[in-house]
Amino acid sequence: MCGIVGYIGKRKAYPILIKGLKRLEYRGYDSAGVALISDNQQLNVYKTKGKVSELENFVTQKDISGTIGIAHTRWATHGEPCSANAHPHYSSSEKLALIHNGIIENYAVLKEKLQAKGYIFKSSTDTEVLVQLIEYMKVTNQVSLLAAVQLALGEVIGAYAIAVLDKEHPDEIIAARKSSPLVVGIGEDEFFLASDATPIVEYTDKVVYLEDG
Ligand code: GLU
């Protein structure tokens, strides 16, 4: 199990994301991370091995601005617990960042194909394959992030709840799930995303449990 939290709206995302990760700590994890699109349009990823409190220490002095972000607590299945393997993972261009709960069973085959096309991997996770494949689909087919995610997930065998940020589209988080839980909270001009409703209920009672797909 791991934890996913996302926020898009008018408030500062970082405090909501950290509070949400703490609410999901009961699920167990070995590392934690956050991705934010900052007020000056940078896609910042911060991640560490260890507790959410260690992530908070790590981001001291860093730019944690932004009203859109995703955050993750990892329970390692592929690759040791370390900061390189912690989520979020950047795509090669560092324009996309992705968090994932679950297991990509055919990651090795997909990774080999992407490496043959020149993609460089920085972690030993199954997850990094997803973000690279999404970028590959987006660039080669010249499609939106949503379409690229749909194309990439069509190639994937496994279980996932994912959330993706695109630096060039600071007005959207693309999320999907199959066999791993994901919940959307609908506020006033704001949306929340989480593995269960506990990070969301203090902000809104409009909670949608996404169906498997
Ligand atoms: N399989 C992924 C990894 O090992 C995600 C694990 C999780 O659900 O936290 O990085």
Side-chain angles (χ1 to χ4, degrees), residues 169-210:
H169 292 275
D171 54 350
E172 67 177 13
I173 300 174
I174 302 295
R177 65 157 293 215
K178 185 181 186 184
S179 307
S180 292
L182 206 52
V183 178
V184 174
I186 304 166
E188 285 210 5
D189 298 325
E190 61 183 357
F191 294 90
F192 303 83
L193 200 60
S195 301
D196 67 36
T198 52
I200 298 174
V201 285
E202 72 174 277
Y203 305 105
T204 175
D205 54 9
K206 287 189 195 140
V207 172
V208 179
Y209 291 81
L210 295 187

Side-chain angles (χ1 to χ4, degrees), residues 51-64:
K51 295 282 166 202
V52 175
S53 55
E54 286 167 65
L55 176 65
E56 288 181 283
N57 291 336
F58 180 73
V59 304
T60 319
Q61 311 292 328
K62 297 210 164 50
D63 179 0
I64 51 164

